[in-house]
């Protein structure tokens, strides 16, 4: 038995629900069916081998209602939204075209009345197009009540709730213009007796509706592109996976490579049927369907679409692969480790969507203003009418009141920040810069100090052998290190790759000293040097000596090397007035060596992992010199904490760095996808390239610039044009705003805000 | 006289608009478990009270064609949902800190409040 719930559209009363329920209960295979009118939802228990979900949908449709069955054709809610939006856009286009044609007729038909004696300046045939008021009335009705129907519906439902929106202003403005003109048309004699001027406003009502609809059409088109980034990410997803199955049946999910599991065949299955543990084959040029670990084969993989890393990465057995990236050269088999919503791509999409829904602190003012805006404009419109009626006359009072209602544009204020955040975070995702929320994006713009963790962030994180003196000692040292678990053993074994290594007996680890063992009856010790090597140590290298008995045979130096782009990144940040710091648990000498290579002047050395967060806190409130002195342990210098908190970013690889990432104003986790790092960091960089730090900061700056321009425009527009529409310039310059022009300005203002945000897609970041 | 009447009427109308939009008292609806919020010319109920550290299900049902109301945004919970017409959309919250959190439509014109206690 399968239980399913789906929404039903089109029910008008509780009896509709009972009707559907009855019919569903009579359907073969249905055990129970319940339809709730309140929640407009049906819940059905049915036998899927007798009836399908599609059958249930058809039953509901046959009664004249619609069942919204999302899984019916594998559609997601995004697909449904896209479909609805497409239909709406088409409908809007039809309405804009229809109302534009009618409006042109109304305008031509009103030319005589609009231009008065100026009509003689135009070709004489135009005057023949003049229409009687009754014809204008008939032409205006469809413009307002067919094309502009939504304005009235929205206004009505809002007023029932004692709420007002943009539509309220348009509906009241156009209704006033239309109502007055209709009264003049239907009762001319009575209106004239009452002393009302015989001026018609059909053209005003029609032009306002048409222009605002046109504006909405362009705005909807532009807005549909603000979320291109998520659509692009979703399209990266592969549709099928080539899974290895045992010829006879589905294999037991095993840990080992498939070659150990008997005779296998390859089966193409839809991606949503892949389960953790499946072994999947990927051929050159194909997309990797889900996340996993390579079990057989090697390849070079293009991960640029997810991490922003432009150079393909070489992968071998045991390495992790990311779903939706492209296999370039080799063929390999991997074991699925994350599927569905757990894959890296799915988590990226979720994170971007969440960031786009978050609020930037800069938006607060717009939020407050917009909650009072429309009622205040309504009050200003009434005040305008009264003022002009008292000092001007009815015609000016009426026109200016309509202009005030039409020009006010709360939409631009509402769209200013969110559209920029949407495009900005989306652009970031395309570069492998994941922004957790709008607040992080906003704060990143104000970073004054950037603290980099040393190991794995500024450096490669993998020590390499830099000196072997004499070279003949390498195979002996490597043979000894075979049994060691020391972090430097890997570096030596990698260096000795391909050499034949002798067997070691009597292997012993001597804590704090090194290791010892016997090779060909000779006892060797490898580890801490008996003498110092100042030249090597100044370069930040760790030196190990090989000795037998009392004789030193030679030494091997190992160092963690600086990432090649580190120096360029430090200099770019410095040029952008950001103080660069390095934090490390290493001693002063080693830290200074790496910092010197990177061009970093500020060092926090000897900091234990659990002290990093504390140091970040100190940096936020103290001056740099205080921290530097503290670091040198000269406590005699007494600096007071600075009164202004400065914005500090911490950049780490996310391993053991979570407290420091969280303590910083902006935590930037680099080259990682671990949950802890993503959770603690405001910004996650999916590649290990340090230049992404600069990109993230530049993206933040560009987004903030756009937000500020948008807010300046949206506020400035309303602050300047509402008084102009009220007639504030009239006493000095004789300037009044025509309501049709007001409609044009209103439509243009929302479009310009969205278009300005879309500019972020092309702004130069790298 | 005529001008005087228009002025008095205008002042009265301004006061009326103020009372109509700003003078209403929002009824606070306490939520235990789940609630259906109708989206029609705003949000009904507009202000809801939910318990901290408890799972609360909000079911939004949009019955208004106003395109502004098609998007629901609860910024503090990082939630943005598209509300198709006549289709219930379920949102689950587990608020961990007390306070007042706003939600609003796509263009920030209609507002509601979630009070966490």
């Amino acid at each position: 038995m399968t239980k399913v719930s789906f929404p039903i559209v089109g029910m008008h009363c509780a009896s509709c629900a009972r009707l559907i329920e009855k019919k569903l209960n009579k359907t073969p295979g249905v055990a129970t069916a319940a339809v709730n009118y309140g929640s407009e939802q049906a819940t059905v228990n049915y036998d899927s081998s007798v009836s399908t979900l599609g059958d249930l949908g058809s039953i509901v449709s046959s009664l004249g209602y619609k069942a919204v069955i999302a899984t019916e054709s594998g559609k997601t809610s995004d697909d449904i939204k896209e479909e609805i939006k497409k239909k709406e856009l088409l409908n809007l286009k039809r309405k804009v075209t229809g109302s534009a044609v009618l409006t042109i007729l109304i305008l031509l038909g009103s030319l005589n009345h609009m231009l008065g004696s100026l009509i003689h300046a135009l070709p004489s045939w135009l005057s023949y197009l003049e229409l009687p008021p009754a014809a204008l009335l008939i032409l205006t009705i469809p413009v307002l009540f067919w094309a502009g129907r939504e304005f009235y519906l929205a206004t009505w439902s809002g007023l029932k709730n004692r709420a007002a929106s943009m539509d309220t202003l348009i509906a009241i403005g156009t209704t006033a213009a239309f109502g007055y003109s209709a009264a003049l048309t239907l009762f001319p004699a009575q209106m004239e007796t009452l002393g009302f001027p015989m001026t018609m406003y059909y053209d005003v009502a029609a032009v306002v509706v048409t222009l605002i609809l046109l504006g909405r059409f362009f705005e909807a088109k532009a807005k549909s592109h603000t979320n291109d980034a998520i659509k692009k990410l979703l399209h990266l997803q592969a549709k099928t996976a080539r899974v290895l199955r045992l010829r006879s049946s589905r294999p037991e999910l095993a840990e080992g490579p498939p070659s150990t599991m008997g005779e296998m065949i390859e089966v193409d299955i839809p991606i949503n049927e892949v389960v953790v543990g499946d072994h999947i084959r990927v051929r050159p040029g194909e997309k990797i369907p889900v996340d996993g670990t390579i079990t057989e084969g090697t390849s070079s993989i293009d991960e640029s679409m997810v991490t922003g890393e432009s150079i393909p990465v070489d992968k071998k057995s045991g390495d992790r692969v990311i779903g939706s990236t492209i296999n370039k050269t080799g063929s390999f088999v991997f074991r699925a480790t994350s599927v569905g919503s757990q894959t890296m791509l799915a988590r990226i999409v979720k994170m971007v969507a969440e960031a786009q829904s978050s609020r930037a602190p800069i938006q607060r003012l717009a939020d407050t203003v917009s909650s009072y805006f429309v009622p205040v404009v309504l009050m200003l419109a009434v005040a305008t009418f009264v003022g002009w009626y008292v000092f001007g006359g009815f015609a000016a009072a009426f026109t200016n009141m309509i202009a005030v209602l039409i020009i006010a544009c709360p939409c631009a204020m509402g769209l200013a920040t969110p559209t920029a955040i949407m495009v900005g975070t989306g652009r970031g995702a395309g570069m492998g810069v994941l922004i957790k929320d709008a607040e992080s994006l906003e704060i990143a713009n104000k970073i004054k100090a950037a603290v980099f963790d040393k190991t794995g962030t500024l450096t490669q994180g993998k020590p390499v052998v830099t000196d072997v003196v004499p070279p003949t000692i390498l195979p002996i040292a490597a043979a000894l290190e075979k049994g060691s678990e020391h972090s430097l053993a890997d570096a030596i074994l990698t260096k000795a790759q391909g050499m034949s290594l002798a067997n070691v007996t009597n292997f012993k680890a001597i804590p704090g000293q090194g290791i010892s063992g016997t090779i060909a009856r000779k006892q060797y010790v490898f580890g801490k040097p008996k003498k110092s090597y100042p030249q090597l140590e100044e370069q930040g290298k760790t030196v190990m000596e090989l000795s037998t008995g009392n004789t030193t045979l030679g030494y091997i130096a190992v160092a963690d090397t600086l990432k090649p782009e580190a120096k360029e990144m430090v200099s770019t940040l410095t040029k952008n007035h950001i103080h660069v710091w390095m934090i490390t648990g290493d001693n002063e000498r080693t830290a200074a060596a790496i910092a010197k290579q990177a061009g970093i002047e500020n060092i926090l050395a000897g900091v234990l992992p659990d002290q990093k967060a504390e140091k970040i806190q100190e940096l936020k409130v103290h001056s740099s010199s205080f921290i530097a002195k503290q670091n040198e342990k000269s406590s005699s210098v007494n600096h007071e904490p600075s009164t202004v908190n400065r914005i500090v970013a911490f950049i780490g690889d996310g391993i053991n760095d979570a407290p420091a990432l969280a303590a910083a104003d902006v935590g930037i986790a680099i080259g990682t996808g671990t949950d802890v790092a993503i959770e603690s960091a405001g910004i996650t960089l999916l590649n290990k390239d340090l230049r992404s730090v600069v990109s993230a900061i530049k993206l933040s700056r560009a987004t903030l610039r756009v937000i500020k321009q948008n807010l300046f425009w949206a506020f400035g527009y309303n602050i300047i044009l509402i008084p102009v529409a009220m007639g504030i310039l009239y006493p000095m310059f004789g300037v009044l705003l025509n309501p049709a022009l007001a409609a044009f300005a209103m439509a243009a203002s929302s479009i310009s805000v969205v278009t300005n945000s879309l500019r972020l897609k092309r702004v130069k970041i790298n | 006289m005529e001008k005087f009447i228009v002025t008095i009427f205008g002042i009265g109308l301004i006061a009326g608009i103020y009372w109509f939009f700003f003078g209403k008292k929002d009824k606070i609806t306490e939520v235990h478990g789940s609630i259906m919020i109708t989206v029609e010319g705003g949000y009904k109920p507009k202000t809801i009270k939910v318990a901290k550290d408890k799972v609360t299900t909000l079911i939004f049902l949009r019955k208004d064609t106003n395109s502004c109301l098609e998007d629901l945004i609860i910024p503090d919970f990082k939630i943005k949902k598209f509300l198709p017409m006549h289709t219930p959309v379920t949102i689950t919250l587990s608020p961990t800190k007390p306070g007042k959190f706003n939600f609003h439509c796509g263009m920030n014109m209609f507002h509601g409040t979630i009070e966490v206690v």
Side-chain angles (χ1 to χ4, degrees), chain A residues 69-101:
Chain A
I69 299 171
T71 51
E72 193 173 22
S73 52
K75 280 181 194 164
T76 62
S77 67
D78 284 311
D79 294 334
I80 296 171
K81 179 178 177 178
E82 191 122 312
E83 229 168 66
I84 293 174
K85 287 271 118 191
K86 260 188 199 158
K87 260 189 211 162
E88 272 178 14
L89 209 59
L90 202 71
N91 190 26
L92 200 53
K93 195 176 175 182
R94 210 168 29 231
K95 286 187 168 178
V96 168
T97 318
S99 78
V101 171

Side-chain angles (χ1 to χ4, degrees), chain A residues 7-10 37-41 68 77 80-82 84-85 88 150 153-155 157-168 194 216 219 223 227 353-359 363 366-367 370-376 378-380 382-383 385-386 389-392 410-411 413-415 418 422 436-437, chain B residues 2-4 6-26 36 38-44 46 59 61-90 100-104 106-111:
Chain A
I8 292 178
V9 180
Y37 171 63
S39 63
E40 305 198 350
Q41 191 92 1
V68 184
S77 67
I80 296 171
K81 179 178 177 178
E82 191 122 312
I84 293 174
K85 287 271 118 191
E88 272 178 14
E150 303 301 321
L153 288 179
T155 303
S157 58
L159 290 180
K160 279 197 291 185
N161 222 13
R162 291 172 79 171
S165 70
M166 172 74 220
D167 299 270
T168 318
L194 286 169
R216 287 211 173 162
E219 186 188 312
K223 261 170 83 184
N227 215 8
E354 281 183 355
Q356 291 181 337
S357 325
S358 63
R359 190 206 318 259
Q363 202 182 329
D367 278 2
S370 62
S371 55
Y372 297 102
F373 190 83
V374 177
V376 168
L378 285 174
M379 290 190 256
L380 286 177
V382 175
F385 183 86
V386 172
Y389 189 84
V390 172
F391 299 107
C411 303
M413 278 189 288
L415 293 171
M422 277 180 93
K436 192 181 176 191
D437 48 32
Chain B
E2 199 181 274
K3 289 180 179 173
F4 178 72
V6 169
T7 310
I8 295 298
F9 182 73
I11 293 169
L13 193 57
I14 290 174
I17 294 170
Y18 183 87
W19 168 83
F20 186 77
F21 291 109
F22 301 133
K24 59 178 172 174
K25 289 237 168 6
D26 289 330
M36 163 81 80
T38 311
V39 183
E40 195 178 15
Y43 303 99
K44 284 183 265 188
K46 194 180 168 196
I59 305 158
L61 181 65
R62 178 176 155 227
K63 292 181 171 177
D64 193 328
T65 51
N66 187 352
S67 60
C68 184
L69 287 163
E70 71 189 14
D71 281 320
L72 167 79
I73 300 167
I74 319 179
D76 297 296
F77 293 90
K78 291 187 188 171
I79 290 169
K80 183 179 178 189
K81 287 272 181 183
F82 178 71
L83 307 178
M85 284 291 287
H86 304 293
T87 308
V89 173
T90 304
K100 282 187 178 177
F101 306 98
N102 285 333
F103 58 92
H104 54 79
M107 285 191 198
N108 209 346
M109 276 188 249
F110 295 100
H111 305 93

